[in-house]
Amino acid sequence: MTTTVALSDRSTKTVTREDGSGTPGRDPQQLWLSHQQPQSQSEAQPRARRGRRPAFSREEITAAAVALADAEGLEAVTMRRVAAQVGAGVMSLYSYAPDKDTLLELMVDHVSGELPSSAALTGDWRTDLKTIAHLQRANMLRHPWLPTALATRRSLGPNTLAFLEHALTALRPTGLDGAAKLEVFAQLTAFVAGHVTHELTQAAAAGSPDRAAAEARYLATVAADGHHPELAEALSAPARPLTPEATFTRFLNRLIDGLGTD
């Protein structure tokens, strides 16, 4: 089911209901730039008809959605649940986020505000990129839904743009052109998101204390059958630290140290 709602005196948008029907809401310019000014009275009309205006803002709605996703996952984030969290009627939320896709955009940018965008850079672009990647990983671990959300996002909000600007500044010493720098940052973010997704999946799968031991026994048996000499050699190599942080750092170093500047 879809409903067209007025977002300003100049435009209307189709709202996507909980069944996922409809089309995405505000375009990026309207979503991010128009919010720099207080909402007009015309935008508040759907909420102002009955008594006093509810005491909530777009930031509060977004924060409530983030808290819900952190606790229960993205599937738990519905307009009805978020409305209940802030003590509002469901329809009143559509003045702030006309559909769940828009709400997701707001959520991604909200948590991007946790990334420091003005930290001092060393001038060594590889070192700085590694620091940026570790910051991204920590942010995604705080918000486990974020890697999935990043795969579907459509626009860059102010917090995301600030961190992107920071990353592009870190890449200035490479001499890469603008398009290449954007590609490097996209590649880095995709790597971090993919690794964190794998990390979280592995952590969930390790719930059984016997699972890791059973897998080790299985691989040892396979390696000893004579049909997998490369695997046998790999398994006989000295063990490396297997903590999540150490593993991420090794993978990250291989990625960034291998990046060229041509």
Side-chain angles (χ1 to χ4, degrees):
M1 171 182 172
T2 61
T3 301
T4 300
V5 296
L7 298 179
S8 72
D9 58 354
R10 299 185 302 276
S11 64
T12 59
K13 292 294 176 182
T14 300
V15 168
T16 301
R17 297 307 184 198
E18 301 290 7
D19 62 0
S21 59
T23 58
R26 306 181 190 187
D27 62 54
Q29 197 165 1
Q30 186 178 29
L31 177 62
W32 303 118
L33 299 185
S34 64
H35 187 61
Q36 293 176 356
Q37 300 298 327
Q39 279 197 314
S40 68
Q41 195 64 29
S42 63
E43 289 181 298
Q45 285 305 312
R47 297 183 282 106
R49 286 180 195 164
R50 301 177 185 174
R52 61 187 179 88
R53 293 176 59 186
F56 59 85
S57 65
R58 188 169 84 167
E59 287 71 23
E60 290 168 324
I61 291 168
T62 305
V66 167
L68 197 55
D70 287 348
E72 302 181 38
L74 276 181
E75 299 78 9
V77 180
T78 66
M79 301 302 257
R80 188 172 301 279
R81 289 287 304 277
V82 174
Q85 290 289 102
V86 298
V90 176
M91 290 305 296
S92 65
L93 262 63
Y94 292 115
S95 296
Y96 299 90
D99 51 47
K100 186 173 177 179
D101 283 343
T102 302
L103 182 59
L104 192 58
E105 298 276 7
L106 297 173
M107 292 167 62
V108 169
D109 194 66
H110 181 86
V111 300
S112 294
E114 299 173 13
L115 295 167
S117 58
S118 58
L121 297 170
T122 68
D124 180 332
W125 65 269
R126 286 188 169 90
T127 297
D128 291 332
L129 272 194
K130 291 173 185 178
T131 298
I132 285 169
H134 278 283
L135 290 170
Q136 288 181 310
R137 173 177 175 265
N139 196 32
M140 293 181 198
L141 289 175
R142 284 193 300 272
H143 308 287
W145 52 271
L146 185 53
T148 299
L150 287 173
T152 59
R153 58 126 23 99
R154 293 180 178 84
S155 66
L156 305 176
N159 292 324
T160 310
L161 285 172
F163 194 67
L164 172 60
E165 182 71 16
H166 180 63
L168 294 177
T169 303
L171 285 165
R172 178 173 288 278
T174 64
L176 293 170
D177 64 29
K181 286 190 286 188
L182 288 170
E183 288 176 347
V184 168
F185 181 69
Q187 180 183 5
L188 181 67
T189 303
F191 162 76
V192 177
H195 186 92
V196 169
T197 297
H198 176 74
E199 190 175 329
L200 293 171
T201 301
Q202 290 295 103
S208 170
D210 298 328
R211 177 170 183 137
E215 290 181 352
R217 288 194 300 271
Y218 165 70
L219 287 177
T221 301
V222 171
D225 65 10
H227 298 298
H228 304 86
E230 296 296 333
L231 176 61
E233 182 180 349
L235 292 177
S236 67
R240 296 182 176 182
L242 295 179
T243 64
E245 179 72 21
T247 301
F248 176 77
T249 297
R250 284 199 304 276
F251 289 5
L252 177 66
N253 288 345
R254 291 189 190 117
L255 172 68
I256 293 182
D257 291 346
L259 286 174
T261 58
D262 53 351

